[in-house]
Short mmCIF file of all heavy atoms in Angstrom, two decimals:
data_model
loop_
_atom_site.label_atom_id
_atom_site.label_comp_id
_atom_site.label_asym_id
_atom_site.label_seq_id
_atom_site.Cartn_x
_atom_site.Cartn_y
_atom_site.Cartn_z
N SER A 51 -0.10 30.92 -0.62
CA SER A 51 1.29 31.39 -0.57
C SER A 51 2.15 30.50 0.30
O SER A 51 1.64 29.82 1.20
CB SER A 51 1.34 32.80 0.03
OG SER A 51 0.47 33.64 -0.65
N SER A 52 3.45 30.54 0.05
CA SER A 52 4.40 29.81 0.91
C SER A 52 5.81 30.33 0.68
O SER A 52 6.19 30.65 -0.44
CB SER A 52 4.36 28.32 0.59
OG SER A 52 5.42 27.66 1.26
N THR A 53 6.57 30.39 1.75
CA THR A 53 8.01 30.66 1.65
C THR A 53 8.77 29.42 2.09
O THR A 53 9.47 28.78 1.31
CB THR A 53 8.39 31.88 2.53
OG1 THR A 53 7.69 33.01 2.01
CG2 THR A 53 9.89 32.14 2.49
N ARG A 54 8.62 29.04 3.36
CA ARG A 54 9.39 27.94 3.94
C ARG A 54 9.06 26.58 3.33
O ARG A 54 9.97 25.81 3.00
CB ARG A 54 9.17 27.87 5.46
CG ARG A 54 9.95 28.90 6.22
CD ARG A 54 9.15 29.45 7.37
NE ARG A 54 8.10 30.31 6.84
CZ ARG A 54 8.23 31.64 6.69
NH1 ARG A 54 9.32 32.23 7.09
NH2 ARG A 54 7.28 32.37 6.17
N THR A 55 7.79 26.29 3.18
CA THR A 55 7.40 24.98 2.68
C THR A 55 7.90 24.80 1.25
O THR A 55 8.47 23.76 0.90
CB THR A 55 5.86 24.84 2.76
OG1 THR A 55 5.47 25.11 4.12
CG2 THR A 55 5.40 23.46 2.36
N HIS A 56 7.72 25.83 0.45
CA HIS A 56 8.18 25.80 -0.94
C HIS A 56 9.69 25.60 -1.00
O HIS A 56 10.20 24.67 -1.63
CB HIS A 56 7.75 27.10 -1.62
CG HIS A 56 8.20 27.22 -3.05
ND1 HIS A 56 7.89 28.31 -3.83
CD2 HIS A 56 8.96 26.42 -3.83
CE1 HIS A 56 8.41 28.15 -5.03
NE2 HIS A 56 9.08 27.02 -5.05
N ARG A 103 -0.49 22.05 -0.80
CA ARG A 103 -0.99 23.03 0.16
C ARG A 103 -2.33 23.51 -0.37
O ARG A 103 -2.39 24.12 -1.45
CB ARG A 103 -0.01 24.20 0.30
CG ARG A 103 -0.58 25.36 1.08
CD ARG A 103 0.44 26.38 1.48
NE ARG A 103 1.29 25.86 2.55
CZ ARG A 103 2.10 26.62 3.30
NH1 ARG A 103 2.17 27.91 3.08
NH2 ARG A 103 2.82 26.09 4.24
N LEU A 125 0.06 21.77 4.29
CA LEU A 125 -0.80 22.66 5.08
C LEU A 125 -2.20 22.70 4.48
O LEU A 125 -2.37 22.92 3.29
CB LEU A 125 -0.26 24.10 5.17
CG LEU A 125 -1.08 25.07 6.03
CD1 LEU A 125 -0.17 25.96 6.87
CD2 LEU A 125 -1.95 25.95 5.16
N HIS A 130 -1.11 20.91 9.80
CA HIS A 130 0.18 21.25 9.19
C HIS A 130 1.22 20.25 9.73
O HIS A 130 2.10 20.60 10.51
CB HIS A 130 0.57 22.69 9.56
CG HIS A 130 1.63 23.27 8.70
ND1 HIS A 130 2.25 22.58 7.68
CD2 HIS A 130 2.21 24.52 8.69
CE1 HIS A 130 3.14 23.37 7.10
NE2 HIS A 130 3.15 24.54 7.68
N GLN A 133 5.07 20.83 9.61
CA GLN A 133 5.53 21.81 10.60
C GLN A 133 5.82 21.11 11.93
O GLN A 133 6.81 21.40 12.60
CB GLN A 133 4.45 22.89 10.80
CG GLN A 133 4.88 23.99 11.73
CD GLN A 133 6.05 24.78 11.17
OE1 GLN A 133 6.00 25.23 10.02
NE2 GLN A 133 7.11 24.94 11.93
N MET A 226 -4.23 32.01 6.50
CA MET A 226 -4.64 32.15 5.10
C MET A 226 -6.03 31.54 4.95
O MET A 226 -6.27 30.42 5.39
CB MET A 226 -3.64 31.42 4.20
CG MET A 226 -2.29 32.10 4.16
SD MET A 226 -1.09 31.24 3.13
CE MET A 226 -0.50 29.98 4.26
N CYS A 261 5.86 28.99 13.75
CA CYS A 261 6.08 28.36 12.44
C CYS A 261 6.48 29.37 11.38
O CYS A 261 7.08 29.00 10.38
CB CYS A 261 4.84 27.59 12.02
SG CYS A 261 3.38 28.62 11.75
N LEU A 262 6.13 30.64 11.61
CA LEU A 262 6.36 31.74 10.68
C LEU A 262 5.46 31.58 9.45
O LEU A 262 5.16 30.46 9.10
CB LEU A 262 7.83 31.83 10.24
CG LEU A 262 8.87 31.88 11.37
CD1 LEU A 262 10.29 31.90 10.78
CD2 LEU A 262 8.65 33.09 12.28
N PRO A 263 5.03 32.62 8.77
CA PRO A 263 5.42 34.01 8.99
C PRO A 263 4.83 34.60 10.28
O PRO A 263 3.70 34.28 10.65
CB PRO A 263 4.83 34.72 7.76
CG PRO A 263 3.70 33.88 7.30
CD PRO A 263 4.09 32.47 7.64
N ARG A 289 12.68 22.38 9.12
CA ARG A 289 11.71 21.97 8.10
C ARG A 289 12.44 21.18 7.01
O ARG A 289 11.95 20.15 6.53
CB ARG A 289 11.02 23.20 7.46
CG ARG A 289 10.09 23.98 8.35
CD ARG A 289 8.82 23.24 8.69
NE ARG A 289 8.06 22.82 7.51
CZ ARG A 289 7.19 23.60 6.85
NH1 ARG A 289 6.93 24.81 7.27
NH2 ARG A 289 6.53 23.12 5.80
N1 LIG B 1 5.60 27.65 8.31
C1 LIG B 1 5.27 27.60 7.00
O1 LIG B 1 4.66 26.67 6.53
O2 LIG B 1 5.70 28.68 6.28
P1 LIG B 1 5.29 29.02 4.78
O3 LIG B 1 3.85 29.44 4.78
O4 LIG B 1 6.20 30.15 4.41
O5 LIG B 1 5.51 27.81 3.92
#
Side-chain angles (χ1 to χ4, degrees):
S51 307
S52 171
T53 297
R54 282 141 288 266
T55 306
H56 178 179
R103 169 167 287 194
L125 182 138
H130 197 358
Q133 184 64 51
M226 291 179 277
C261 64
L262 307 178
R289 292 290 303 276

